[in-house]
Amino acid sequence: VNAWEKSTEGKAKAMVMVKNRERHLSIQCIVGWSRRTMEIKQEEKMREQRMAMVSRNYVAGQQAIQQECFVNWRDAKKIAERKEKAMAQAGRLIANSQQALMTQVVNAWEKSTSGKAKALVMERNQQKRLLTQMVMAWIRFLDEMHRERELEKQNAGALEQLQRMREQKLAAVERSLNVSGRAMVKDCFFGWR
């Protein structure tokens, strides 16, 4: 009887151990899946954060480029306005000098009957003043043209530098997108495995 009791007792112990192992195995599977699920959620969260950061960097880069373009456009507009103003001033000077010359000629003809010598002296003085005014106006115009050319050279250098910076930023964004794309493929592959 003793042997039979021992064998049934051993069978009962073995059954309890098998049931405990099944329960233990189930718990391990559930815990493992739970951990993997949490890891996947964390990876997704990190991926979303990286994408948000890339988006912010892209938007900031675009805003910087837009601001730089606006500043250069505004400077070019000011230069064009200065040119137009100088051309209008030169036109007015020319028109005024022609009117003054006509007035001088008419006045000289009127005075020729009263005193030809005096009229000739006055006409020569007027012509000298007119010539002086025209020369000074041309000197101012040439100075402004020289300044504008210098500004155009400076703006050309700034535009080249802006273009290089834009290309560098676009290359950096492209590299960043390539790296994040590879990371997403890698995550998908390891998640699938």
Side-chain angles (χ1 to χ4, degrees):
V1 178
N2 227 352
W4 185 78
E5 285 179 10
K6 285 184 180 180
S7 72
T8 54
E9 187 178 309
K11 285 181 185 177
K13 283 183 182 180
M15 290 301 289
V16 168
M17 285 177 60
V18 167
K19 286 182 182 179
N20 285 340
R21 282 190 181 167
E22 285 178 8
R23 223 180 268 146
H24 183 67
L25 184 60
S26 308
I27 290 171
Q28 283 183 338
C29 286
I30 290 171
V31 168
W33 278 108
S34 171
R35 284 183 190 150
R36 181 62 185 143
T37 305
M38 290 177 70
E39 289 173 359
I40 289 171
K41 286 180 182 178
Q42 287 177 346
E43 289 172 1
E44 287 176 2
K45 185 177 179 181
M46 289 176 62
R47 191 175 312 121
E48 288 174 5
Q49 289 173 349
R50 283 184 287 202
M51 289 304 290
M53 184 176 64
V54 167
S55 294
R56 283 192 305 270
N57 289 342
Y58 178 75
V59 169
Q62 288 290 44
Q63 288 174 344
I65 289 170
Q66 287 174 348
Q67 183 178 4
E68 194 68 28
C69 288
F70 177 73
V71 167
N72 287 334
W73 172 79
R74 185 183 63 205
D75 292 344
K77 187 176 178 185
K78 285 180 183 178
I79 291 170
E81 287 173 354
R82 284 187 211 138
K83 260 186 194 177
E84 288 178 21
K85 188 177 179 182
M87 291 298 286
Q89 184 180 9
R92 283 192 304 270
L93 284 174
I94 291 170
N96 289 340
S97 65
Q98 287 176 349
Q99 185 64 32
L101 184 61
M102 290 294 283
T103 304
Q104 286 297 324
V105 169
V106 169
N107 287 339
W109 285 342
E110 286 178 359
K111 292 181 181 180
S112 67
T113 57
S114 64
K116 289 183 179 180
K118 186 177 178 183
L120 287 174
V121 169
M122 287 178 64
E123 184 179 334
R124 286 184 189 149
N125 288 339
Q126 277 300 80
Q127 287 177 351
K128 286 180 184 177
R129 274 189 255 137
L130 178 61
L131 184 61
T132 304
Q133 285 178 346
M134 288 176 63
V135 168
M136 293 303 290
W138 277 107
I139 289 172
R140 282 192 299 261
F141 177 73
L142 291 174
D143 285 344
E144 286 184 27
M145 289 288 288
H146 179 71
R147 276 189 234 118
E148 288 175 8
R149 284 186 187 142
E150 289 298 318
L151 283 172
E152 287 175 2
K153 287 178 185 177
Q154 290 174 358
N155 284 342
L159 285 174
E160 289 175 15
Q161 185 179 9
L162 177 65
Q163 184 64 27
R164 280 187 302 230
M165 287 174 49
R166 182 177 182 271
E167 289 171 2
Q168 290 172 354
K169 287 178 183 178
L170 288 175
V173 167
E174 187 176 324
R175 284 192 305 268
S176 175
L177 289 175
N178 285 340
V179 169
S180 65
R182 287 186 200 134
M184 286 177 18
V185 169
K186 184 178 175 183
D187 289 345
C188 289
F189 179 72
F190 285 117
W192 176 74
R193 263 191 353 170

Short mmCIF file of all heavy atoms in Angstrom, two decimals, residues 35-83:
data_model
loop_
_atom_site.label_atom_id
_atom_site.label_comp_id
_atom_site.label_asym_id
_atom_site.label_seq_id
_atom_site.Cartn_x
_atom_site.Cartn_y
_atom_site.Cartn_z
N ARG A 35 5.63 43.88 -22.30
CA ARG A 35 6.87 44.68 -22.43
C ARG A 35 7.08 45.12 -23.88
O ARG A 35 7.43 46.26 -24.15
CB ARG A 35 8.07 43.86 -21.97
CG ARG A 35 8.18 43.73 -20.49
CD ARG A 35 9.43 42.97 -20.12
NE ARG A 35 9.42 42.64 -18.70
CZ ARG A 35 10.00 41.58 -18.17
NH1 ARG A 35 10.67 40.75 -18.94
NH2 ARG A 35 9.94 41.35 -16.88
N ARG A 36 6.90 44.19 -24.82
CA ARG A 36 7.11 44.52 -26.23
C ARG A 36 6.12 45.59 -26.69
O ARG A 36 6.46 46.50 -27.43
CB ARG A 36 6.96 43.25 -27.08
CG ARG A 36 7.19 43.49 -28.55
CD ARG A 36 8.61 43.97 -28.84
NE ARG A 36 8.74 44.31 -30.24
CZ ARG A 36 9.45 45.29 -30.70
NH1 ARG A 36 10.14 46.03 -29.87
NH2 ARG A 36 9.50 45.53 -31.98
N THR A 37 4.88 45.50 -26.23
CA THR A 37 3.88 46.50 -26.57
C THR A 37 4.30 47.87 -26.04
O THR A 37 4.19 48.88 -26.73
CB THR A 37 2.51 46.09 -25.98
OG1 THR A 37 2.18 44.79 -26.44
CG2 THR A 37 1.43 47.07 -26.42
N MET A 38 4.79 47.91 -24.82
CA MET A 38 5.25 49.18 -24.24
C MET A 38 6.45 49.72 -25.02
O MET A 38 6.53 50.93 -25.27
CB MET A 38 5.60 48.99 -22.75
CG MET A 38 4.37 48.76 -21.88
SD MET A 38 4.79 48.44 -20.17
CE MET A 38 5.38 50.05 -19.67
N GLU A 39 7.37 48.82 -25.41
CA GLU A 39 8.52 49.26 -26.20
C GLU A 39 8.06 49.85 -27.53
O GLU A 39 8.57 50.88 -27.98
CB GLU A 39 9.47 48.08 -26.44
CG GLU A 39 10.23 47.63 -25.22
CD GLU A 39 11.04 46.35 -25.47
OE1 GLU A 39 10.99 45.82 -26.61
OE2 GLU A 39 11.70 45.90 -24.53
N ILE A 40 7.11 49.19 -28.17
CA ILE A 40 6.60 49.69 -29.46
C ILE A 40 5.97 51.06 -29.27
O ILE A 40 6.18 51.97 -30.08
CB ILE A 40 5.60 48.68 -30.07
CG1 ILE A 40 6.34 47.43 -30.54
CG2 ILE A 40 4.81 49.31 -31.20
CD1 ILE A 40 5.44 46.29 -30.97
N LYS A 41 5.20 51.22 -28.20
CA LYS A 41 4.57 52.53 -27.94
C LYS A 41 5.63 53.60 -27.72
O LYS A 41 5.51 54.72 -28.20
CB LYS A 41 3.63 52.44 -26.74
CG LYS A 41 2.33 51.72 -27.04
CD LYS A 41 1.44 51.66 -25.82
CE LYS A 41 0.15 50.89 -26.12
NZ LYS A 41 -0.70 50.77 -24.95
N GLN A 42 6.68 53.26 -26.95
CA GLN A 42 7.76 54.23 -26.71
C GLN A 42 8.47 54.57 -28.01
O GLN A 42 8.80 55.73 -28.26
CB GLN A 42 8.75 53.67 -25.68
CG GLN A 42 8.23 53.65 -24.26
CD GLN A 42 9.22 53.01 -23.29
OE1 GLN A 42 10.16 52.36 -23.70
NE2 GLN A 42 8.97 53.22 -22.00
N GLU A 43 8.72 53.55 -28.84
CA GLU A 43 9.38 53.81 -30.13
C GLU A 43 8.52 54.71 -31.01
O GLU A 43 9.02 55.62 -31.66
CB GLU A 43 9.66 52.49 -30.84
CG GLU A 43 10.77 51.67 -30.20
CD GLU A 43 10.90 50.28 -30.81
OE1 GLU A 43 10.14 49.96 -31.75
OE2 GLU A 43 11.75 49.52 -30.33
N GLU A 44 7.21 54.45 -31.02
CA GLU A 44 6.30 55.29 -31.79
C GLU A 44 6.30 56.72 -31.27
O GLU A 44 6.31 57.68 -32.05
CB GLU A 44 4.88 54.72 -31.76
CG GLU A 44 4.70 53.47 -32.58
CD GLU A 44 3.30 52.88 -32.45
OE1 GLU A 44 2.47 53.48 -31.73
OE2 GLU A 44 3.06 51.83 -33.06
N LYS A 45 6.31 56.85 -29.96
CA LYS A 45 6.33 58.19 -29.36
C LYS A 45 7.62 58.91 -29.74
O LYS A 45 7.60 60.09 -30.11
CB LYS A 45 6.20 58.07 -27.84
CG LYS A 45 6.09 59.40 -27.14
CD LYS A 45 5.89 59.21 -25.65
CE LYS A 45 5.81 60.54 -24.93
NZ LYS A 45 5.63 60.38 -23.49
N MET A 46 8.75 58.21 -29.67
CA MET A 46 10.03 58.82 -30.03
C MET A 46 10.05 59.19 -31.52
O MET A 46 10.54 60.24 -31.90
CB MET A 46 11.18 57.87 -29.69
CG MET A 46 11.43 57.73 -28.19
SD MET A 46 12.70 56.53 -27.79
CE MET A 46 14.11 57.24 -28.58
N ARG A 47 9.48 58.32 -32.36
CA ARG A 47 9.42 58.60 -33.79
C ARG A 47 8.57 59.84 -34.05
O ARG A 47 8.94 60.70 -34.84
CB ARG A 47 8.82 57.39 -34.52
CG ARG A 47 8.96 57.47 -36.02
CD ARG A 47 8.47 56.23 -36.76
NE ARG A 47 8.98 55.00 -36.19
CZ ARG A 47 8.20 54.02 -35.70
NH1 ARG A 47 6.90 54.14 -35.73
NH2 ARG A 47 8.73 52.92 -35.21
N GLU A 48 7.44 59.95 -33.35
CA GLU A 48 6.60 61.14 -33.49
C GLU A 48 7.33 62.40 -33.04
O GLU A 48 7.22 63.46 -33.67
CB GLU A 48 5.31 60.96 -32.69
CG GLU A 48 4.35 59.96 -33.30
CD GLU A 48 3.14 59.69 -32.41
OE1 GLU A 48 3.01 60.36 -31.36
OE2 GLU A 48 2.34 58.81 -32.77
N GLN A 49 8.09 62.28 -31.95
CA GLN A 49 8.85 63.44 -31.46
C GLN A 49 9.91 63.85 -32.48
O GLN A 49 10.11 65.03 -32.74
CB GLN A 49 9.50 63.12 -30.11
CG GLN A 49 8.52 63.03 -28.97
CD GLN A 49 9.18 62.55 -27.67
OE1 GLN A 49 10.32 62.08 -27.68
NE2 GLN A 49 8.45 62.66 -26.57
N ARG A 50 10.58 62.85 -33.08
CA ARG A 50 11.60 63.16 -34.09
C ARG A 50 10.96 63.83 -35.31
O ARG A 50 11.49 64.80 -35.84
CB ARG A 50 12.33 61.90 -34.52
CG ARG A 50 13.37 61.43 -33.52
CD ARG A 50 14.10 60.26 -34.06
NE ARG A 50 13.15 59.14 -33.99
CZ ARG A 50 13.48 57.87 -33.97
NH1 ARG A 50 14.72 57.51 -34.06
NH2 ARG A 50 12.56 56.93 -33.91
N MET A 51 9.82 63.33 -35.73
CA MET A 51 9.14 63.93 -36.88
C MET A 51 8.68 65.34 -36.56
O MET A 51 8.77 66.24 -37.41
CB MET A 51 7.94 63.06 -37.30
CG MET A 51 8.33 61.75 -37.96
SD MET A 51 9.39 61.94 -39.39
CE MET A 51 8.25 62.68 -40.54
N ALA A 52 8.21 65.56 -35.34
CA ALA A 52 7.79 66.91 -34.94
C ALA A 52 8.99 67.85 -34.96
O ALA A 52 8.90 68.99 -35.39
CB ALA A 52 7.15 66.88 -33.55
N MET A 53 10.14 67.36 -34.48
CA MET A 53 11.35 68.18 -34.46
C MET A 53 11.79 68.51 -35.89
O MET A 53 12.14 69.64 -36.20
CB MET A 53 12.47 67.45 -33.73
CG MET A 53 13.74 68.27 -33.59
SD MET A 53 15.03 67.47 -32.64
CE MET A 53 15.39 66.07 -33.64
N VAL A 54 11.74 67.52 -36.79
CA VAL A 54 12.10 67.76 -38.19
C VAL A 54 11.16 68.78 -38.80
O VAL A 54 11.58 69.70 -39.50
CB VAL A 54 12.08 66.43 -38.98
CG1 VAL A 54 12.14 66.69 -40.47
CG2 VAL A 54 13.23 65.54 -38.55
N SER A 55 9.88 68.65 -38.49
CA SER A 55 8.90 69.61 -39.02
C SER A 55 9.18 71.02 -38.51
O SER A 55 9.13 71.99 -39.27
CB SER A 55 7.48 69.20 -38.61
OG SER A 55 7.14 68.00 -39.23
N ARG A 56 9.46 71.13 -37.21
CA ARG A 56 9.76 72.46 -36.65
C ARG A 56 11.01 73.05 -37.31
O ARG A 56 11.03 74.23 -37.65
CB ARG A 56 9.96 72.37 -35.13
CG ARG A 56 8.68 72.24 -34.35
CD ARG A 56 8.91 72.44 -32.85
NE ARG A 56 9.91 71.57 -32.29
CZ ARG A 56 9.67 70.35 -31.77
NH1 ARG A 56 8.44 69.89 -31.74
NH2 ARG A 56 10.65 69.63 -31.27
N ASN A 57 12.05 72.22 -37.48
CA ASN A 57 13.28 72.72 -38.11
C ASN A 57 13.02 73.14 -39.54
O ASN A 57 13.54 74.15 -40.01
CB ASN A 57 14.37 71.64 -38.07
CG ASN A 57 14.91 71.42 -36.69
OD1 ASN A 57 14.74 72.26 -35.80
ND2 ASN A 57 15.56 70.30 -36.46
N TYR A 58 12.21 72.38 -40.24
CA TYR A 58 11.89 72.71 -41.63
C TYR A 58 11.13 74.04 -41.69
O TYR A 58 11.44 74.91 -42.50
CB TYR A 58 11.07 71.58 -42.24
CG TYR A 58 10.66 71.84 -43.66
CD1 TYR A 58 11.58 71.74 -44.70
CD2 TYR A 58 9.35 72.20 -43.97
CE1 TYR A 58 11.21 71.98 -46.00
CE2 TYR A 58 8.98 72.44 -45.28
CZ TYR A 58 9.92 72.33 -46.29
OH TYR A 58 9.53 72.58 -47.58
N VAL A 59 10.15 74.19 -40.83
CA VAL A 59 9.35 75.43 -40.81
C VAL A 59 10.24 76.62 -40.45
O VAL A 59 10.16 77.69 -41.07
CB VAL A 59 8.16 75.30 -39.84
CG1 VAL A 59 7.50 76.64 -39.59
CG2 VAL A 59 7.14 74.31 -40.38
N ALA A 60 11.11 76.44 -39.45
CA ALA A 60 12.00 77.54 -39.05
C ALA A 60 12.93 77.91 -40.20
O ALA A 60 13.18 79.10 -40.44
CB ALA A 60 12.81 77.13 -37.82
N GLY A 61 13.45 76.92 -40.91
CA GLY A 61 14.31 77.20 -42.06
C GLY A 61 13.59 77.95 -43.14
O GLY A 61 14.11 78.89 -43.73
N GLN A 62 12.35 77.54 -43.42
CA GLN A 62 11.54 78.22 -44.42
C GLN A 62 11.28 79.67 -44.02
O GLN A 62 11.34 80.58 -44.85
CB GLN A 62 10.21 77.49 -44.64
CG GLN A 62 10.36 76.18 -45.37
CD GLN A 62 10.75 76.37 -46.82
OE1 GLN A 62 11.61 77.18 -47.17
NE2 GLN A 62 10.14 75.62 -47.69
N GLN A 63 10.98 79.89 -42.74
CA GLN A 63 10.71 81.25 -42.28
C GLN A 63 11.96 82.12 -42.41
O GLN A 63 11.87 83.28 -42.79
CB GLN A 63 10.22 81.23 -40.83
CG GLN A 63 8.81 80.69 -40.69
CD GLN A 63 8.39 80.53 -39.24
OE1 GLN A 63 9.22 80.55 -38.33
NE2 GLN A 63 7.09 80.37 -39.03
N ALA A 64 13.12 81.55 -42.09
CA ALA A 64 14.37 82.32 -42.22
C ALA A 64 14.62 82.69 -43.68
O ALA A 64 15.02 83.82 -43.98
CB ALA A 64 15.54 81.51 -41.66
N ILE A 65 14.37 81.75 -44.58
CA ILE A 65 14.57 82.03 -46.00
C ILE A 65 13.60 83.10 -46.47
O ILE A 65 13.98 84.04 -47.19
CB ILE A 65 14.39 80.73 -46.82
CG1 ILE A 65 15.57 79.79 -46.56
CG2 ILE A 65 14.29 81.03 -48.31
CD1 ILE A 65 15.38 78.41 -47.12
N GLN A 66 12.34 83.01 -46.04
CA GLN A 66 11.35 84.02 -46.44
C GLN A 66 11.74 85.39 -45.91
O GLN A 66 11.63 86.39 -46.62
CB GLN A 66 9.97 83.63 -45.91
CG GLN A 66 9.34 82.47 -46.64
CD GLN A 66 8.04 82.03 -46.00
OE1 GLN A 66 7.71 82.44 -44.90
NE2 GLN A 66 7.30 81.17 -46.70
N GLN A 67 12.20 85.43 -44.68
CA GLN A 67 12.59 86.72 -44.09
C GLN A 67 13.77 87.32 -44.86
O GLN A 67 13.79 88.51 -45.16
CB GLN A 67 12.95 86.54 -42.62
CG GLN A 67 13.29 87.84 -41.92
CD GLN A 67 13.59 87.62 -40.45
OE1 GLN A 67 13.62 86.52 -39.97
NE2 GLN A 67 13.83 88.70 -39.74
N GLU A 68 14.75 86.49 -45.19
CA GLU A 68 15.93 86.97 -45.93
C GLU A 68 15.52 87.49 -47.30
O GLU A 68 15.99 88.54 -47.76
CB GLU A 68 16.94 85.82 -46.06
CG GLU A 68 18.30 86.27 -46.50
CD GLU A 68 19.03 87.10 -45.47
OE1 GLU A 68 18.80 86.94 -44.26
OE2 GLU A 68 19.84 87.95 -45.89
N CYS A 69 14.62 86.78 -47.97
CA CYS A 69 14.14 87.22 -49.28
C CYS A 69 13.42 88.56 -49.16
O CYS A 69 13.61 89.45 -50.00
CB CYS A 69 13.22 86.18 -49.89
SG CYS A 69 14.07 84.70 -50.45
N PHE A 70 12.59 88.70 -48.15
CA PHE A 70 11.85 89.95 -47.97
C PHE A 70 12.80 91.11 -47.73
O PHE A 70 12.63 92.18 -48.31
CB PHE A 70 10.87 89.82 -46.80
CG PHE A 70 10.12 91.09 -46.52
CD1 PHE A 70 9.12 91.51 -47.37
CD2 PHE A 70 10.44 91.88 -45.42
CE1 PHE A 70 8.43 92.69 -47.13
CE2 PHE A 70 9.76 93.06 -45.17
CZ PHE A 70 8.76 93.47 -46.03
N VAL A 71 13.83 90.91 -46.89
CA VAL A 71 14.79 91.98 -46.61
C VAL A 71 15.51 92.39 -47.89
O VAL A 71 15.64 93.59 -48.18
CB VAL A 71 15.79 91.53 -45.52
CG1 VAL A 71 16.97 92.48 -45.44
CG2 VAL A 71 15.10 91.43 -44.18
N ASN A 72 15.94 91.42 -48.69
CA ASN A 72 16.64 91.75 -49.94
C ASN A 72 15.72 92.44 -50.93
O ASN A 72 16.13 93.35 -51.63
CB ASN A 72 17.24 90.48 -50.55
CG ASN A 72 18.44 90.00 -49.78
OD1 ASN A 72 19.11 90.78 -49.11
ND2 ASN A 72 18.69 88.72 -49.82
N TRP A 73 14.46 92.00 -50.99
CA TRP A 73 13.50 92.65 -51.88
C TRP A 73 13.28 94.10 -51.45
O TRP A 73 13.24 95.00 -52.29
CB TRP A 73 12.18 91.87 -51.84
CG TRP A 73 11.08 92.58 -52.58
CD1 TRP A 73 10.87 92.63 -53.92
CD2 TRP A 73 10.05 93.39 -51.99
NE1 TRP A 73 9.77 93.40 -54.21
CE2 TRP A 73 9.25 93.88 -53.04
CE3 TRP A 73 9.73 93.73 -50.68
CZ2 TRP A 73 8.16 94.69 -52.82
CZ3 TRP A 73 8.63 94.53 -50.46
CH2 TRP A 73 7.86 95.00 -51.52
N ARG A 74 13.15 94.33 -50.14
CA ARG A 74 12.92 95.68 -49.63
C ARG A 74 14.11 96.57 -49.97
O ARG A 74 13.93 97.71 -50.42
CB ARG A 74 12.71 95.62 -48.11
CG ARG A 74 12.35 96.97 -47.50
CD ARG A 74 12.23 96.89 -46.01
NE ARG A 74 13.53 96.53 -45.48
CZ ARG A 74 13.72 95.92 -44.32
NH1 ARG A 74 12.71 95.62 -43.56
NH2 ARG A 74 14.93 95.62 -43.90
N ASP A 75 15.35 96.06 -49.82
CA ASP A 75 16.53 96.85 -50.15
C ASP A 75 16.58 97.16 -51.64
O ASP A 75 16.90 98.29 -52.04
CB ASP A 75 17.80 96.10 -49.73
CG ASP A 75 17.93 95.99 -48.22
OD1 ASP A 75 17.23 96.74 -47.50
OD2 ASP A 75 18.74 95.15 -47.76
N ALA A 76 16.25 96.18 -52.48
CA ALA A 76 16.24 96.41 -53.92
C ALA A 76 15.19 97.46 -54.31
O ALA A 76 15.42 98.28 -55.19
CB ALA A 76 15.98 95.09 -54.66
N LYS A 77 14.06 97.42 -53.61
CA LYS A 77 13.00 98.39 -53.89
C LYS A 77 13.47 99.80 -53.52
O LYS A 77 13.22 100.76 -54.26
CB LYS A 77 11.75 98.02 -53.10
CG LYS A 77 10.55 98.88 -53.44
CD LYS A 77 9.31 98.42 -52.71
CE LYS A 77 8.16 99.34 -53.04
NZ LYS A 77 6.98 99.04 -52.29
N LYS A 78 14.17 99.94 -52.40
CA LYS A 78 14.69 101.26 -52.00
C LYS A 78 15.67 101.78 -53.04
O LYS A 78 15.65 102.97 -53.38
CB LYS A 78 15.37 101.17 -50.64
CG LYS A 78 14.42 101.06 -49.48
CD LYS A 78 15.17 100.99 -48.17
CE LYS A 78 14.24 100.80 -46.99
NZ LYS A 78 14.99 100.67 -45.72
N ILE A 79 16.53 100.91 -53.55
CA ILE A 79 17.51 101.33 -54.56
C ILE A 79 16.78 101.80 -55.82
O ILE A 79 17.14 102.82 -56.41
CB ILE A 79 18.48 100.17 -54.87
CG1 ILE A 79 19.39 99.91 -53.67
CG2 ILE A 79 19.30 100.47 -56.11
CD1 ILE A 79 20.21 98.65 -53.79
N ALA A 80 15.75 101.05 -56.22
CA ALA A 80 14.99 101.45 -57.42
C ALA A 80 14.30 102.80 -57.20
O ALA A 80 14.27 103.64 -58.11
CB ALA A 80 13.96 100.37 -57.75
N GLU A 81 13.77 103.02 -56.01
CA GLU A 81 13.11 104.30 -55.71
C GLU A 81 14.12 105.44 -55.77
O GLU A 81 13.82 106.52 -56.28
CB GLU A 81 12.43 104.24 -54.34
CG GLU A 81 11.18 103.39 -54.32
CD GLU A 81 10.62 103.20 -52.92
OE1 GLU A 81 11.27 103.63 -51.94
OE2 GLU A 81 9.54 102.60 -52.81
N ARG A 82 15.33 105.20 -55.23
CA ARG A 82 16.37 106.24 -55.29
C ARG A 82 16.72 106.56 -56.74
O ARG A 82 16.94 107.73 -57.09
CB ARG A 82 17.62 105.78 -54.54
CG ARG A 82 17.50 105.85 -53.05
CD ARG A 82 18.83 105.55 -52.39
NE ARG A 82 18.61 104.93 -51.12
CZ ARG A 82 19.26 103.91 -50.63
NH1 ARG A 82 20.26 103.39 -51.30
NH2 ARG A 82 18.98 103.41 -49.46
N LYS A 83 16.83 105.53 -57.57
CA LYS A 83 17.15 105.74 -58.98
C LYS A 83 16.08 106.59 -59.65
O LYS A 83 16.39 107.53 -60.38
CB LYS A 83 17.23 104.39 -59.71
CG LYS A 83 18.58 103.87 -59.93
CD LYS A 83 18.50 102.61 -60.78
CE LYS A 83 19.80 101.87 -60.74
NZ LYS A 83 19.75 100.62 -61.49
#
